[in-house]
Amino acid sequence: RQDRVSLDPGLTLRCRPKQASFRRGKPMRMVLELVNTGTTTVGFQDGGRQFGRDEQFAFTATRGNVALPVIPLGPAAGGGGFQYKPIAPGQKIQLAAELTAWIKPTKPGRHQVGCEYRTSLVPGTQGPAWPDRGAEVWDLTLTATTSIVVK
C-alpha cells in the first residue's frame, strides 16, 4: 500500500546461552535480548504464537558444518493470548527460550546456533483498531548467532 510508513528500523537481536556449557539431555536455555537502537518507542507483540512451543522463536544448529535436524512442530493447538509491550529507544528486553524444543544436540563439542525471533510491531504500545488501522502492524523477524558448548 502507498500509505504505509515503516516503523523505526532500530530493533536488533542478541542471543547467548544462559550458561557456559550444557550437558547432553539436560535443558539448554537461551537468552535473547531485544534492543531498540532506534529513535522511537514501538510496541512489540509478546505471546500469541504458542503451538506446542513458543513459535515466536526458532533455532537451528550446526556442529562441524553439519546441520542438526530441527524437531518438527507436533500437533498444534492454539496461539494463546498476547499483548503489545513497549520498547523505548535505548531499552533492552530479555527473552528466554528452551533450545531443546527445536534442537537436541547429542554429541559433545561446540555448536553454532542460529537464533530467530518473530514479532509484530505497532506504533506506541496499543494494538491498532482492526481492520481500519491494520496497515499500522508490521511483521518483523530478527536473527542472531551464537555458539554453545555441549558436554
Side-chain angles (χ1 to χ4, degrees), residues 30-150:
M30 302 299 291
V31 177
L32 291 87
E33 187 174 69
L34 190 59
V35 182
N36 187 346
T37 62
T39 59
T40 306
T41 297
V42 294
F44 72 98
Q45 180 181 332
D46 183 33
R49 297 182 184 184
Q50 197 67 34
F51 295 96
R53 62 186 178 201
D54 189 342
E55 286 295 303
Q56 282 193 275
F57 302 98
F59 296 95
T60 58
T62 59
R63 181 179 173 275
N65 293 325
V66 176
L68 278 66
V70 175
I71 299 167
L73 186 61
F82 70 90
Q83 61 182 327
Y84 289 106
K85 290 185 175 178
I87 182 166
Q91 186 176 5
K92 300 172 186 175
I93 295 179
Q94 284 198 352
L95 309 162
E98 175 56 46
L99 178 65
T100 59
W102 286 265
I103 305 290
K104 293 206 187 287
T106 59
K107 295 182 179 177
R110 183 167 298 278
H111 296 65
Q112 299 303 312
V113 177
C115 309
E116 188 173 281
Y117 182 68
R118 302 176 207 133
T119 190
S120 296
L121 303 178
V122 296
T125 60
Q126 297 294 315
W130 198 266
D132 297 338
R133 294 179 55 206
E136 295 177 11
V137 178
W138 287 86
D139 290 333
L140 178 67
T141 299
L142 299 168
T143 61
T145 58
T146 191
S147 64
I148 62 169
V149 174
V150 177

